[in-house]
Amino acid sequence: MNPSLPKASTEGLNSTLAVPLKLGAFVFNEPVCDGGELDAKIAPVTQPNYTFLRLTNFIIQNDIVPHVSLHNTIPPTSVYVHWMLPRVYRSGVAATESGPDNRQRERLPEPEQPDNADDSVPQFRPVPTRWLVIRRLHPTTAQPANSGIPEFQAWVVESDRKRDIKDIPYNVDLQVDVSPFVHPTRRVNIEEQAEAFIGMKFPAKGWKEDEEADRVALNVLNGGNLLFTDFQQHNGNVFSILDNFSYSNPLDNSRVLYLKKAKASYYVIGWHPKDNQDPFHIVQQAEPLITRSDRLANCQMTLSDTTSPNTDHDTWLSSTVSATVVCRGAMYDVEWDISQKPKNVPADSHSHDLQNHLPVAVGATPLDSVLAYIHAHRDGGGDEDLQQVIDSIMFIQKYLINQDESVDGQQQAQDLLHAYNYDALTGGTHYHLAGSEDSAKPAQKPSPMVAEKLAELNREQFRLDALKRTAKRVQWELFSLWWKFVCEGANHNSYRDQVVNITSNWAEIRKGIEESTSVVDRLLAEPRLKIGEPGVLPSFHQQRDPTILVGNVESAWPQDWLENLKVRLNTEITAWADRGQLGDTGGEVGIPSLPTTIQETAKALVKEFINLGADTNTSPPEHTLVPLYHDQGLTRNNNPAPWRDQWESTQPWFPLFLEWEVEYSHLPFSSWLLEERLTADEDLPELRYGIRDDTVLFNLPDKSDKRSLSGRVLILPQPSFSLQSKITQLFENMPETERDKILPKEERKQLFENLHRLDFLSSPLAGFHDHLLTMVQGSHVKPNVRYSDEKLLAIDSAINALAGFEREEFDVIGDETDLTPYGTMVQFYDLGHSAFKPATHGQFKLTKLNIIDKFGQAIHAIDPRWSSDPPPPLYPCLSEFYAPQLVESDEGETVPNTIEKQHGGLNEFAQTTPHINQMARLNAAFVKRNNNGISWVPQTEWESPIWGWLVINYIQHSIQIFLADGTFYREVRLGGQSGTSTSDQWLPFDRSSQDPSSTQLDHLIRRLGDRGYLQAFVDMINGSLQHAATAPDAYAQFLNSVVGKPLVLVNIGWSLELAEDAYVNQSTLNDAKLRLWLLSDPRDAQRELYSFPFKLGDRERSFDGLVGYFKTLEEQDDGNDLVLDQCYTYYGIKNEEILATGSPLVQIDKDNFPTLHPYFVNPKDSSTLIESQRNSKLSPNTFGVIIDPFTAVHAYSGILPTQSIKLPPWTWQEALSRMTAFFHMGPLVITGDVPDYDSQYKLQADYDLRMAERVPNSAVGVPAMAAAEWDWLQAYSVVEGSGREDEERTAFMPLGLGHTDTRPRFEEAPYTVVEGYLQLKQPIIREL
């Protein structure tokens, strides 16, 4: 504690902590339900039907919460009061390795059987289950005036009170007075659970805790209903109450009457009935001691800042004893009128806007849908401030994706944005030698023993990862089989056989996991593999469900919801000093019935409630603070900012979930073409699928492959804040000067001040792809339950020994039960096509879009009334990822190319381009031929994949060829009698002592000896260098006038791998045969397979390093692996005349893209066989590739994120340090003579410019050449060897250049004619 701070009064400081709640109050009467045609509808009370959990009589359902019906609403006239649980109770605590310690640090409940605890799943804290709800009637507002109803009335809600339907009195309304609830117990009885309810309300005066009552453990998830916490219709007398303003007839106490009109304020106080359920209950077990400050941070809370320093904070925070949470929330001045609709009903305004203007957008991600929406609403609707916000966002939108405004930067941004369209699954672990992941340093080549052990480790680790993925799949397959059995109740024996097959498969997988785990552990323990470090393989990806955005609908989550919750100590309550003045009111509202530990705090809170209701402008006493939510929110539509705890004659509007339905039409895969298409910017082409130009969809003869898909998605707070966080992050990450270049300071200020006015809700169409796989999301019965954070336990009624489902089978199923199979639950009637789609390629239109708020208000974009006609169309704004192409109709009108013809420039269809409906990845690897000369295998991280270099020599009009290590090999020049000339091997350098294999280079050099072939190669290389990215700083740029950028020759293999075996049809009622499959089946030789084209490289993207590529031979032929007759490229193809002169160049185009076939390897096979099978899948798409060594090569498939592969710098740095720029010169006349040959100065193969010795006093004068920069390489004919082995050969010595110019000096003869090479003294790469 800092003694210099002013000391606040600590008198009465106790352990309580006042935690704010957000209250809502909804007026429900007949006028509210009888709105106009465009007004919001009131959904009838629809609770989860837990009868559908029963496993008998075939009544089980995929989702026990039906879609909201907007018909036949019968309003119970009353005010509904609902309170939102703080975030501390909604946030799951992630599992850690230290389960018990984590429980104590986070204050999680202990399981009844600690030995059976399951710390592998997120855990949630118990919620408060006692609530004091106070209503204060404002004097003189109650009508009739003689009702005698008291000013204060209070009730206690016991949220966890369990009641069986047979024990509930007849006068209890099952729809509003209790809440259906699934109560997990150690021995669950589903028949009883379907008739269990929780929640009970008592008058507060005289209420006492009933220790004998039957109760349930309650947190936000253990009821199995995701809507339970916030949907008022599902939590009556748990987290909400109904207040019907009833009172006894003064003349006849037996009669109950109701107020017709009143103004009321509501107050809620909540607490935990048991100390050990409180988040601030602390049990010290070990050092360091847990403080309240620690617990505050764990609970995402912070003490509010007072107007002056408060030492109570230090005292309270440093304490290591338990504290007590007391929740509080208020809503003032709720106007009840049985015959009048509230003055302001935001839901009606939103409903009108949604139906009249259809502010709906469809995109691939929340950001994508936002930008699509903004593009379509550029006019701002006449609001100048909003117009400025839209203009600013449109201007900076490219920076929201990538802050680089260059064309390359924006093209990279497009690729990055495309990657965001996919969900990712970890690709598995891969071990490297220590240091090999540092791309600038080569890994030290290990001994053969270590290399084999490392290879074995990675083989087994890959198998282990694949087995674990497959294990989850098998678990779900067993659950799917159980679900179908419960739905159908068919022959027990047929199911028993299938159960045996699946469990046998599971046993094999578990055995395989144990075997591979044992091998991996053994290898990791080997001292020789201690240098191994774990890395990750590329992730698998799957296309996300489409994202839908509804504009002009603001999120109702508090704007500070995601911030740490501001809480107060008891001494900071504004009425703490005045709590004694509460008087008899305390007794009237039941404070004496509360636990003694919170009574003083409750008095202060109730007094504060009364004080703040009388005057909102009074400054709080020193060292106190008004509570959170007793403040003004955001300004909207130029209206004054509303008080967040004032009703202000306004009905609440809190969008909670969205229900959707689409009609999906599946289009033949043959109708699609992968090709370059312009983006919305019209100048940035991107490779995408689209409908073929010769296909007009609305003229197709068969359009019957269509069906309805539907789903429900919660509206969470995060998407509403994503755009604001994106823009904030953009400007925070750049200097002020750069910010001004993007958007001037005043415009930035206006943008941030008004950004919140760009209201929208954004959610995925969750379950879209699941439906196409014949699976369903929803709240459904699960055969295993988790009791008190313990391990899963099978429910007794799920067990059926006759069908093979015994307790052991449910242990196998585990928690893989989120999705249910279609089974017999989904009817198809006359659908003549397979409902199961392994890949999506079609179009869809919205047929239902309803937004439901937490009180049951519903707005709809499409008229929900029953009709024999199709629903009216909805025309969404479409992002470029979902926009169909345009086509000319028979009438000459340009219209969208959609399955149904559109008119008037409108379009209701979104287009989903082809993609695989399960996790997959595009593999890329540098490869080499196996020893058998047939298959290809990936190279290790210590092997350089380079097999040669090409450098264009501008002065010689030649291509110089270097070996992989940078040693010069040969040169092929244009010119000469045959049109080309090829130098001798190695010259002017000596033959390499190591003489690495150059067979493939020799085959290429022989082809380059053809003039047309060589000229085409020169044109291709020159063309590529014009589009190439800037080289690294280490590259000597001044050499560009002499030689081109060195290009490297490598082999790269590509394959398309599935994370799991191909999915299969889960519908029992639809068994139509598929047209196309992902994988082959030896039992079905006629099966047609998907073939997905992909493109290598991109001419317009300078960050791509592809120059050209050759296809490979199926089998090596005399050392040649490549089909050298054709080189596929984007560069150097000029005209047909060039192509007719022996050019091998083929323009990369949509008609010659290579194709990929998906594959999956069975992880039950041995790791060696798995590796062999995976490697074999690289062969069909292995290419000999010419690339820029500094830049990645990219593969664009249209079905997955762009995949790239890049050479590690160590593979080219050493080679480039050896490579020099040199060119042939001569014959040249010099006035002197060159020195005699001296073997001491012979030019060696490993000649190093940095340590070169030149012949002293030897200068060859070459005009216009700087002597300090160049050497002369002089040729000599020498005899080396001895005896009969003597051989005459050419050798070179490096000589210096003399200073000379072109002026005649008439030196005396004789003159000498020389021929040699000029060599630059600098290597191609300079030292940094």
Side-chain angles (χ1 to χ4, degrees), residues 462 538-541 916 919-927 936-938 1052-1059 1079 1092-1094 1096 1154-1161 1170-1183 1195-1197 1199-1205:
F462 182 90
S539 297
F540 295 96
H541 291 89
I916 297 173
M919 287 289 177
R921 70 179 169 197
L922 191 57
N923 294 317
F926 293 110
V927 296
W936 294 86
V937 294
I1052 305 178
W1054 308 82
S1055 63
L1056 179 57
E1057 181 180 12
L1058 301 181
L1079 300 179
F1092 297 101
F1094 71 107
L1096 290 177
T1155 57
L1156 293 161
H1157 293 278
Y1159 76 89
F1160 172 73
V1161 291
I1170 290 171
E1171 181 182 59
S1172 175
Q1173 291 172 338
R1174 292 190 75 235
N1175 292 343
S1176 70
K1177 300 301 180 181
L1178 293 169
S1179 297
N1181 285 295
T1182 290
F1183 307 100
Y1196 302 88
S1197 65
I1199 62 171
L1200 287 170
T1202 302
Q1203 179 62 282
S1204 64
I1205 185 170

Side-chain angles (χ1 to χ4, degrees), residues 431 446-460 519 522-524 526 528-529 942:
Y431 290 90
S447 67
M449 178 67 73
V450 172
E452 175 52 37
K453 293 294 184 183
L454 183 64
E456 183 184 4
L457 172 62
N458 280 318
R459 286 195 298 268
E460 287 297 337
V519 173
R522 173 177 57 80
L523 290 170
L524 289 176
E526 283 212 17
R528 287 170 293 187
L529 282 183
W942 57 84

Side-chain angles (χ1 to χ4, degrees), residues 175-190:
Q175 288 191 317
V176 296
D177 292 336
V178 291
S179 298
F181 188 79
V182 176
H183 176 214
T185 59
R186 203 173 300 283
R187 290 293 179 189
V188 176
N189 186 319
I190 288 294

Side-chain angles (χ1 to χ4, degrees), residues 181-219:
F181 188 79
V182 176
H183 176 214
T185 59
R186 203 173 300 283
R187 290 293 179 189
V188 176
N189 186 319
I190 288 294
E191 300 297 322
E192 294 179 358
Q193 290 293 320
E195 298 177 347
F197 296 81
I198 63 170
M200 198 166 182
K201 183 176 69 173
F202 302 87
K205 211 169 186 178
W207 169 82
K208 291 183 180 180
E209 189 74 56
D210 185 352
E211 301 294 343
E212 303 299 324
D214 196 4
R215 304 195 181 276
V216 300
L218 192 60
N219 64 38

